[in-house]
Amino acid sequence: MSTTGPAPTGPAAPGDTTAPPAPAARVLAVIPARGGSKGVPGKNLAPVGGVPLVARAVRACRGARLVSDVVVSTDDPEIAATAEAAGARTVLRPAAIAGDAATSEAAVLHALDADAERHGSDADVVLLVQCTSPFLTAEDVDGVTAAVTADGADSALTVAGFHGFVWADDETAAAGSTGVNHDPAHRPRRQDRRPEWLETGAAYAMRTAGFRAAGHRFFGRTALVGTDPARVLEIDDPHDLARARALAPLLDLPDLPVLADVDAVVLDFDGTQTDDRVLIAADGTEYVSVHRGDGLGIAALRDTPGLELLILSTEQNPVVRARAHKLRIPVLHGIDRKDEALARWCAEHGIRPERVLYVGNDVNDLPCFDLVGWPVAVASAHDAVRAAARAVTTTPGGAGAIREIAGWLLGPTLARATTTTAGATADAHPIPTLTPAR
């Protein structure tokens, strides 16, 4: 890989965070995230592991020790709202640099200008961080930052090592195809070859003055910062997005909610509070099996001040309402469009959807997953649901999965819940009558 200036000695190891923890430099991370995308419509808002791509990028930057400010450059109000909810500031990008032909450098320069006006001076170092690399880590961001702030580089980028043989297909050549980084007649063993470095497209760091002078991201001495090759994935088409969603449960660090993260817990019924089986008697009566541990967990959540609960189900079976009545929590059942019903319920109760934890197990729960901030799948959920979830229980539906979730929020002993007043009866928790929308 070519670099300008003296050749780097080699990339830092993945996860290398040996830089000083408190540099004097002010570091601005810029995340370009325009609304238009032809390959994957709405790409920057597409969830991976239950989190929109733009929010994943913001979280990686906010988690970095060496980053001072995080700004998302966008032309889309929904992206701006999502980025701000994740903790970033936003800069509205003008139409002239928001089209298909707009460069990332143009967005960074525009964001730099806005930041300089805000602070009265330029940041010392500016980062370009791409939403399309969903498995970027805070350590990767700190790595490129440290290469500039501590190691003397002028610019830096994330790379992944590989030993593959690269070919070029040349139909005009007699041989048809030629080796790019090897002689096809003399191919050395892998252990005898120096690794080459693939630009991941995830994160870049630049000295601001040099970036303004050069107008592009590579100038002066360019440092290569090694990252984990298993995490290298750029989302350019729907197949990339599907692969990222399948990999998220394997590559994402556990991301479990705590009580401070949520204002409401909304539960599907069949497959989450049951094992998804139905026993049918000769007279047509249906029976399902629930878990007593789930009942204990739901009771603890119900008695937690400031936390709203709801059962939301497509089933019209009376057993759903009977279970809700026993648990003394409200229920909406017989719902065709659960996401629309959930959005109305949130509006009526003054609850922001991003503060809702929704538990589901099958594909009819996916629209609700797209609506809420904490989509949670039970361990026995459909593969597509597990891939779209932000968190997945270790326990299957109907076997204590809801009790497990209650433990995330309240601690394993459910001790954070406030118990009801001694002597209180079931009438102290009346069941609201909710009319399903038709």
Side-chain angles (χ1 to χ4, degrees):
M1 171 177 288
S2 62
T3 57
T4 56
T9 57
D16 183 3
T17 56
T18 58
R26 187 168 74 86
V27 178
L28 173 68
V30 178
I31 303 170
R34 64 187 184 89
S37 175
K38 292 182 178 179
V40 183
K43 176 172 62 179
N44 289 320
L45 289 171
V48 170
V51 181
L53 287 175
V54 66
R56 291 178 70 98
V58 171
R59 288 166 59 184
C61 292
R62 282 179 53 83
R65 296 178 300 114
L66 307 180
V67 171
S68 308
D69 298 288
V70 182
V71 170
V72 171
S73 167
T74 186
D75 60 335
D76 185 281
E78 188 174 358
I79 290 175
T82 301
E84 289 169 4
R89 289 191 293 108
T90 55
V91 173
L92 183 61
R93 194 189 309 185
I97 57 171
D100 291 339
T103 66
S104 296
E105 280 85 351
V108 173
L109 284 168
H110 177 260
L112 262 176
D113 290 341
D115 179 78
E117 183 176 351
R118 175 186 176 91
H119 288 274
S121 62
D122 261 338
D124 301 287
V125 175
V126 63
L127 310 183
L128 164 60
V129 177
Q130 305 276 31
C131 297
T132 48
S133 294
F135 301 117
L136 174 74
T137 66
E139 290 75 20
D140 296 334
V141 176
D142 273 335
V144 293
T145 304
V148 175
T149 60
D151 298 338
D154 297 295
S155 56
L157 68 152
T158 50
V159 296
F162 75 104
H163 291 80
F165 294 113
V166 179
W167 288 80
D169 184 13
D170 186 356
E171 295 180 355
T172 64
S177 300
T178 57
V180 174
N181 62 347
H182 66 285
D183 179 355
H186 302 284
R187 288 159 55 104
R189 299 178 305 168
R190 183 184 187 278
Q191 57 267 40
D192 295 332
R193 302 179 61 221
R194 293 182 61 187
E196 297 189 85
W197 304 100
L198 176 70
E199 182 177 339
T200 70
Y204 306 82
M206 299 85 71
R207 293 188 186 277
T208 301
F211 175 64
R212 284 193 180 278
H216 57 80
R217 68 192 81 171
F218 305 117
F219 54 88
R221 184 169 76 83
T222 301
L224 308 181
V225 179
T227 61
D228 182 358
R231 292 181 169 274
V232 176
L233 174 62
E234 288 189 90
I235 296 179
D236 293 319
D237 60 43
H239 300 291
D240 297 329
L241 181 59
R243 189 161 73 252
R245 287 171 170 168
L247 288 171
L250 302 175
L251 296 179
D252 282 349
L253 295 174
D255 182 22
L256 302 180
V258 296
L259 187 58
D261 294 325
V262 299
D263 295 328
V265 174
V266 178
L267 307 170
D268 180 33
F269 186 72
D270 287 309
T272 57
Q273 299 181 61
T274 78
D275 60 6
D276 223 14
R277 296 186 303 164
V278 178
L279 302 179
I280 304 176
D283 63 358
T285 303
E286 295 185 358
Y287 300 88
V288 298
S289 174
V290 296
H291 194 276
R292 287 193 181 276
D294 284 346
L296 181 66
I298 290 171
L301 293 172
R302 180 198 65 211
D303 293 335
T304 299
L307 189 66
E308 298 282 349
L309 263 69
L310 174 70
I311 292 177
L312 183 60
S313 175
T314 56
E315 284 293 320
Q316 296 184 2
N317 195 317
V319 72
V320 180
R321 183 156 185 84
R323 180 61 174 165
H325 188 271
K326 180 176 178 62
L327 295 172
R328 290 180 281 152
I329 62 174
V331 59
L332 279 169
H333 64 125
I335 302 297
D336 294 326
R337 285 296 304 271
K338 296 168 72 174
D339 57 328
E340 294 179 354
L342 178 56
R344 283 195 299 271
W345 182 81
C346 287
E348 291 166 1
H349 288 74
I351 296 171
R352 289 157 40 206
E354 62 267 25
R355 300 274 303 169
V356 173
L357 186 155
Y358 179 92
V359 189
N361 77 301
D362 217 329
V363 293
N364 63 337
D365 294 309
L366 290 175
C368 289
F369 272 29
D370 290 338
L371 178 67
V372 304
W374 282 96
V376 175
V378 296
S380 51
H382 187 280
D383 287 347
V385 178
R386 288 170 55 89
R390 184 169 179 178
V392 180
T393 66
T394 60
T395 311
I402 309 304
R403 170 63 177 79
E404 180 181 341
I405 294 167
W408 297 348
L409 300 180
L410 306 176
T413 64
L414 308 181
R416 295 184 196 168
T418 301
T419 56
T420 54
T421 304
T425 65
D427 292 338
H429 298 275
I431 302 300
T433 300
L434 303 178
T435 304
R438 288 295 184 184

